[in-house]
Amino acid sequence: MPAALPLAEWVCLTLIVQKVSHGWALGTMLAPDGEVGRIWSVTRPLTYRAIDGLVDRGLVSRTGQTAGRGRDRVTLAATTAGRRLARRWLDQPVEHLRDVRTAFLVKLFLRQRAGLDSAGLLTAQRELFSPTIDALTSADPDDDLVDLWRRESARAVRRFLDQALDPVAPGEVTKPDLRISARNQLRGTVVAVQHGEVMSTVKAVLADGQPLTAAITKEAASDLDLAPGDTILVIIKATEVIVAKAQ
């Protein structure tokens, strides 16, 4: 596990490893309209503070000066320990769903900038988050707005990781054809989803209030991205119909 550093220091260290060699260039890249700043931005003073922190930790050294407009600029270089730590950080999945929008996207960008393949990182991130996303999408129908936000955020992360690993080319998406021979088609609303190791239980309520429970594979539930509140079409295909009458 890489050492605990502020995100600003991780990003600056990795950029220095990638030959961004002075503070002004780092500040430009981390500005809101910069290459990295459009994902996650840092003010120029905080950028210089991050550089100072890296120097104090022995991860970056000031190696000289280069001429530029105005005063000379101090040249930066990563130490051996800094290069090693940056490589490990780029390979490490983030711990929390909330970090996907910041740290994880920055890692993907920096990996792309360095010409590194990110399939392994994306796969590891999806596996790490899988239990958390399953728990959040197994929510109770009485969840409050905070729970709803967490659930929908988790579903968005899952779709992002799936799409990043298996992108759909333009023109490949077609409208699904739902014209099938089965006539017992009932529209309902999902009220709960419970995931097991292999199977998932989907509980729904029909328009007239009748409850209905279906057992499907966990993989199918993930592919359908099912969660409470979703409108679904229940298709029933049975070999037998049992008739009952009150005595």
Side-chain angles (χ1 to χ4, degrees):
M1 177 72 68
L5 298 178
L7 182 55
E9 291 189 20
W10 280 124
V11 176
C12 287
L13 174 62
T14 306
L15 288 171
I16 292 169
V17 170
Q18 295 179 5
K19 308 303 182 183
V20 182
S21 59
H22 55 83
W24 183 264
L26 289 169
T28 300
M29 293 190 70
L30 289 169
D33 58 349
E35 288 184 63
V36 181
R38 68 190 187 95
I39 304 170
W40 179 79
S41 62
V42 182
T43 64
R44 201 170 289 274
L46 289 180
T47 299
Y48 287 120
R49 184 181 300 176
I51 295 170
D52 289 340
L54 292 170
V55 172
D56 292 341
R57 298 175 195 273
L59 302 176
V60 167
S61 61
R62 294 184 169 96
T63 58
Q65 292 184 333
T66 57
R69 293 183 178 180
R71 63 182 181 180
D72 292 346
R73 295 171 181 173
V74 176
T75 305
L76 304 169
T79 64
T80 300
R83 291 192 296 272
R84 182 170 57 249
L85 208 58
R87 286 195 299 268
R88 291 173 58 193
W89 179 71
L90 283 179
D91 291 336
Q92 188 73 32
V94 297
E95 296 183 8
H96 306 288
L97 290 171
R98 63 177 179 269
D99 295 329
V100 171
R101 173 62 186 86
T102 53
F104 190 68
L105 278 181
V106 170
K107 286 188 183 189
L108 292 178
F109 170 79
L110 293 173
R111 291 181 66 88
Q112 182 182 48
R113 190 174 186 273
L116 300 174
D117 182 74
S118 294
L121 176 62
L122 287 163
T123 300
Q125 191 67 75
R126 185 166 64 178
E127 291 175 354
L128 179 65
F129 279 162
S130 182
T132 301
I133 294 175
D134 286 347
L136 290 173
T137 55
S138 300
D140 187 273
D142 295 327
D143 286 345
D144 60 19
L145 291 176
V146 174
D147 295 315
L148 175 62
W149 170 259
R150 296 182 66 200
R151 181 169 71 241
E152 293 305 312
S153 296
R155 296 174 73 186
V157 168
R158 180 167 61 191
R159 289 193 298 269
F160 166 73
L161 294 174
D162 289 345
Q163 176 70 6
L165 278 167
D166 188 19
V168 178
E172 288 187 6
V173 179
T174 58
K175 184 177 179 180
D177 186 3
L178 295 180
R179 297 179 63 186
I180 61 176
S181 61
R183 290 293 179 261
N184 297 318
Q185 301 181 24
L186 307 173
R187 192 169 298 277
T189 302
V190 177
V191 295
V193 181
Q194 298 295 331
H195 298 291
E197 289 295 322
V198 178
M199 303 294 292
S200 294
T201 301
V202 182
K203 296 184 178 182
V205 61
L206 305 181
D208 61 359
Q210 293 187 75
L212 183 146
T213 301
I216 63 176
T217 64
K218 182 179 178 181
E219 182 179 4
S222 295
D223 288 344
L224 292 171
D225 194 23
L226 293 175
D230 289 351
T231 298
I232 59 172
L233 188 65
V234 180
I235 302 171
I236 301 172
K237 188 68 175 178
T239 57
E240 297 179 355
V241 176
I242 299 174
V243 177
K245 180 180 179 180
Q247 294 289 342

